Amino acid sequence: MERDSSDEDDDSCHLIHQNDTHPVSSTSRRHSAFDVEDLDSRIGTARRFGFGFDKSYLLAILISLLFLVAFFSADIRGLFSSDASAFKLDSTADRMRESELRALSLLKQQRLGLFGLWNHTFLDSVIARNGTANFTLSSSNSSVLKHDNDHLLVSSSALLEDFKSAVLRQIKLNKNIEDVLLLPYQSGNASVQNGDGDMVDVSVGDFGFDRCRTVDQNSLGRKTIEWKPKPKKFLFAICVSGQMSNHLICLEKHMFFAAVLGRILVVPSSKIDYEYNKVLDVNHINDCLGRKVVMSFEEFSEVKKSHLHIDRFICYFSSPQHCYVDDEHVKKLKGLGISMGKLESPWVEDIQKPNKRTIQDVEAKFTVDDDVIAIGDVFFADLEQEWVMQPGGPLAHKCKTLIEPSRLIVLTAQRFIQTFLGKNYIALHFRRHGFLKFCNAKKPSCFYPVPQAAECIKRAVERADAPVVYLSTDAAESETGLLQTLVFSNGKPVPLVKRPHRSPAEKWDALLYRHGLQDDPQVEAMLDKTICAMSRVFIGASGSTFTEDILRLRKDWGSASHCDEYLCQGEEPNFIADDE
């Protein structure tokens, strides 16, 4: 194929001929950096023009190049190192500012704590000066307090304990402030010394002092009796006064009577009393004694198939009615198929003014040969009270206590504590429903306005140094809401925790649901008691048997604290309504 002549001409204009010999201009020629032949020719040329090339020049050039490389590399390293130093400096400054802000917050807490300590010290001095006279003290930060010879606020030893505890808290807080300020200067595991070269390490634990330590329950000298029932001899328990807490106390006293009289105790039927099997483990009592001492009504019915009969009704109380049993309860007993004789009493005993009785008194009046006897409700009985109040009670056994919550309730309480509270918490029984009229009938009254109650709770929180309070209450939301806004410590609110409503996402109460015990009011009440009994410090409601049963559990379990008390113990309400 032939190409057009014009195309050939155009190509020739863009090609460089291989044999082209036209000289190249010296100004346009490019030299290679490693063109040795060209270098020799130039050296020769330089020599021709009188410029001698010596090795010293080459050495000087190389030294200059090395110097320039070293200078610029050092400058680059300096640039990056200065940036790193600036970053490190900025980071240290940020840490210092953060530590200073935290230290300021802690200093505010310390100021509030010292101010509270000053107020308590001032109050104690007033009490000391006015030990024989009444006084009233009020301020914007405290409730009105009244004091007289017959109603001391607190004992002098308790005041000293509180003072020592408050001082140690301030020492601990001061150490925290020091640690925060020194934090930016610490690195790794390096320890920081103070100006004298001594190691700084101050801890409240080093003093071996705990204001709210547990009470040492010495059980070595405990007075007890053996419970060894005779064969086929029974004591039929009857408890009618009050609610579950009253019935548990009544049941515990029945156990004492059964031991004194050498009889097996028959627990009441759920058809006429509470379902004890939901909250108690009856077999636990038998295990602790190592023999059969308690049986359910169903077991008793099996033993006495053809003859459910109470042979003797020997009433402990004679007034206001025999055995403190009304006609309605007698009808319920007969509805169970139980027959009985006439109610009688061996002595005059009034529930309003019970007499102190001894074991010998009971043995003399209630020892009979009949197979089945009943003595009526003994909740108000005053039998060997010193024995009853001992840790573990008056009966010889191998357990901590005989009447205690079932294993399911104990495990549920432990799971709740692990989920919401932790080890260091205060439990508060804040009784309100139906308590106003009951307390105002007492002298002094035990029903406190919410702001005054909040002040008492704050003092307990500061004394125990606890971060949270468990609230067991029947109060309305309006009262608990107000109480929550008023309870704070070191400038921060203290959470008042109540058991939440059922949530499928929470598993702490799964055991109760698995065994069909959810939403049972008696199970929930016993769960509340158990959580309160396990607390580090307990604040109870004076006059409440619910509180008294918690105190019994704490005493028997060994969880009672030196800081346990009734709410606003030693104070009178700063306002009391008139009677109807």
Side-chain angles (χ1 to χ4, degrees):
M1 180 177 180
E2 293 182 356
R3 294 181 61 188
D4 192 279
S5 61
S6 63
D7 291 337
E8 293 178 359
D9 294 340
D10 185 65
D11 287 341
S12 64
C13 293
H14 294 87
L15 293 176
I16 299 175
H17 295 281
Q18 182 177 3
N19 297 324
D20 192 355
T21 57
H22 291 288
V24 179
S25 172
S26 61
T27 58
S28 62
R29 181 177 177 179
R30 296 179 179 178
H31 303 284
S32 171
F34 295 98
D35 193 348
V36 178
E37 181 181 359
D38 184 66
L39 179 61
D40 289 340
S41 63
R42 278 183 286 167
I43 291 174
T45 306
R47 285 175 177 171
R48 284 194 302 270
F49 283 97
F51 295 102
F53 187 83
D54 194 274
K55 292 182 179 180
S56 60
Y57 289 117
L58 181 61
L59 181 62
I61 293 171
L62 290 175
I63 292 175
S64 300
L65 289 174
L66 289 174
F67 176 77
L68 290 175
V69 170
F71 175 79
F72 282 110
S73 63
D75 184 65
I76 292 172
R77 284 196 304 269
L79 177 63
F80 285 102
S81 62
S82 63
D83 289 344
S85 300
F87 176 76
K88 184 176 181 181
L89 184 61
D90 289 342
S91 177
T92 303
D94 290 340
R95 290 173 62 192
M96 290 178 63
R97 281 193 294 270
E98 181 181 354
S99 297
E100 289 167 356
L101 290 174
R102 289 176 58 194
L104 287 174
S105 176
L106 292 173
L107 284 171
K108 181 180 178 181
Q109 292 184 27
Q110 188 175 48
R111 184 177 72 252
L112 292 173
L114 291 172
F115 183 70
L117 181 60
W118 169 260
N119 281 341
H120 285 303
T121 306
F122 174 73
L123 176 60
D124 298 342
S125 64
V126 173
I127 294 173
R129 291 196 305 268
N130 298 277
T132 59
N134 296 341
F135 77 89
T136 299
L137 173 67
S138 62
S139 69
S140 59
N141 295 322
S142 63
S143 304
V144 177
L145 305 178
K146 296 182 179 179
H147 170 82
D148 53 43
N149 289 336
D150 300 327
H151 205 59
L152 293 174
L153 284 173
V154 276
S155 65
S156 58
S157 60
L159 290 175
L160 180 60
E161 294 278 311
D162 287 345
F163 180 79
K164 291 160 76 174
S165 177
V167 170
L168 290 179
R169 280 200 303 271
Q170 297 310 314
I171 294 174
K172 182 179 179 181
L173 188 57
N174 183 272
K175 176 62 169 62
N176 290 339
I177 295 171
E178 180 183 5
D179 289 342
V180 168
L181 289 174
L182 291 176
L183 188 61
Y185 304 99
Q186 295 176 343
S187 59
N189 295 324
S191 58
V192 180
Q193 296 180 338
N194 61 16
D196 299 329
D198 299 328
M199 294 302 298
V200 180
D201 187 12
V202 180
S203 173
V204 173
D206 296 338
F207 293 88
F209 177 79
D210 182 5
R211 172 67 179 90
C212 296
R213 61 193 179 277
T214 55
V215 177
D216 183 16
Q217 303 284 5
N218 185 9
S219 60
L220 296 178
R222 190 162 67 99
K223 294 182 179 180
T224 61
I225 64 171
E226 295 285 338
W227 188 357
K228 295 180 178 180
K230 304 178 185 73
K232 298 182 180 181
K233 299 296 180 180
F234 304 96
L235 174 62
F236 197 93
I238 295 177
C239 299
V240 296
S241 60
Q243 299 183 16
M244 173 64 90
S245 296
N246 297 50
H247 286 229
L248 291 176
I249 295 173
C250 172
L251 197 63
E252 184 181 28
K253 290 185 177 182
H254 262 101
M255 291 165 55
F256 192 14
F257 278 93
V260 171
L261 300 174
R263 292 178 175 272
I264 295 175
L265 183 66
V266 180
V267 178
S269 169
S270 59
K271 295 179 180 179
I272 61 173
D273 205 335
Y274 291 105
E275 295 184 72
Y276 293 104
N277 63 310
K278 285 188 174 182
V279 296
L280 302 176
D281 184 1
V282 175
N283 288 326
H284 163 77
I285 302 173
N286 294 324
D287 293 340
C288 291
L289 273 295
R291 63 185 70 91
K292 188 76 170 181
V293 295
V294 178
M295 67 170 52
S296 66
F297 177 78
E298 289 71 25
E299 291 177 288
F300 175 72
S301 300
E302 288 293 323
V303 174
K304 296 284 186 177
K305 286 181 180 179
S306 58
H307 191 58
L308 286 176
H309 180 70
I310 298 177
D311 300 317
R312 292 280 300 274
F313 230 120
I314 312 172
C315 301
Y316 185 91
F317 286 104
S318 60
S319 180
Q321 65 246 15
H322 283 301
C323 291
Y324 198 52
V325 176
D326 56 15
D327 294 338
E328 184 66 27
H329 197 79
V330 172
K331 289 180 182 179
K332 290 180 179 179
L333 288 173
K334 291 181 178 180
L336 292 174
I338 300 174
S339 59
M340 66 194 72
K342 183 181 177 181
L343 279 63
E344 56 183 317
S345 182
W347 53 31
V348 177
E349 191 75 34
D350 191 345
I351 65 167
Q352 299 295 334
K353 296 179 180 179
N355 296 303
K356 292 183 180 296
R357 301 293 185 178
T358 65
I359 291 176
Q360 291 73 25
D361 294 335
V362 172
E363 288 176 333
K365 297 296 183 179
F366 295 89
T367 300
V368 293
D369 196 42
D370 299 276
D371 290 342
V372 183
I373 68 170
I375 59 177
D377 195 317
V378 291
F379 171 76
F380 296 98
D382 188 355
L383 174 64
E384 301 285 9
Q385 197 64 19
E386 291 183 1
W387 289 40
V388 174
M389 295 305 295
Q390 296 175 117
L395 305 179
H397 57 84
K398 61 183 180 181
C399 301
K400 291 183 177 180
T401 187
L402 293 177
I403 295 183
E404 66 179 12
S406 67
R407 182 62 178 165
L408 284 178
I409 293 178
V410 170
L411 287 175
T412 302
Q414 291 175 344
R415 292 180 177 186
F416 179 87
I417 293 169
Q418 184 177 359
T419 302
F420 294 99
L421 302 172
K423 183 179 181 180
N424 184 23
Y425 69 97
I426 293 176
L428 168 65
H429 177 214
F430 192 52
R431 171 75 184 274
R432 303 299 276 183
H433 181 68
F435 218 45
L436 175 59
K437 187 175 180 180
F438 169 82
C439 280
N440 283 356
K442 299 173 62 176
K443 299 299 179 184
S445 175
C446 54
F447 192 89
Y448 299 92
V450 171
Q452 185 178 359
E455 288 293 329
C456 298
I457 297 168
K458 284 197 296 185
R459 291 198 296 269
V461 169
E462 291 171 357
R463 186 183 302 121
D465 195 22
V468 65
V469 174
Y470 176 70
L471 185 60
S472 173
T473 185
D474 56 3
E477 190 66 32
S478 56
E479 293 185 63
T480 57
L482 175 60
L483 186 67
Q484 177 62 87
T485 62
L486 296 174
V487 178
F488 55 90
S489 178
N490 292 326
K492 298 184 296 184
V494 178
L496 304 180
V497 179
K498 294 190 293 184
R499 283 185 297 105
H501 295 295
R502 170 65 179 169
S503 171
E506 297 174 357
K507 300 301 180 183
W508 63 269
D509 56 352
L511 286 175
L512 299 183
Y513 276 76
R514 196 179 304 162
H515 290 82
L517 298 175
Q518 72 278 8
D519 302 325
D520 185 285
Q522 300 311 319
V523 173
E524 291 184 349
M526 185 60 80
L527 179 59
D528 256 7
K529 281 185 183 179
T530 309
I531 296 172
C532 290
M534 291 180 173
S535 64
R536 180 166 174 255
V537 174
F538 174 63
I539 305 172
S542 177
S544 167
T545 53
F546 188 91
T547 282
E548 295 306 317
D549 204 33
I550 293 171
L551 292 174
R552 176 190 65 83
L553 281 174
R554 291 178 64 78
K555 173 191 64 184
D556 293 350
W557 282 350
S559 58
S561 163
H562 283 279
C563 292
D564 289 355
E565 62 182 4
Y566 297 117
L567 179 64
C568 297
Q569 184 170 328
E571 296 185 28
E572 293 184 14
N574 57 28
F575 186 88
I576 301 176
D578 294 335
D579 295 333
E580 294 180 2

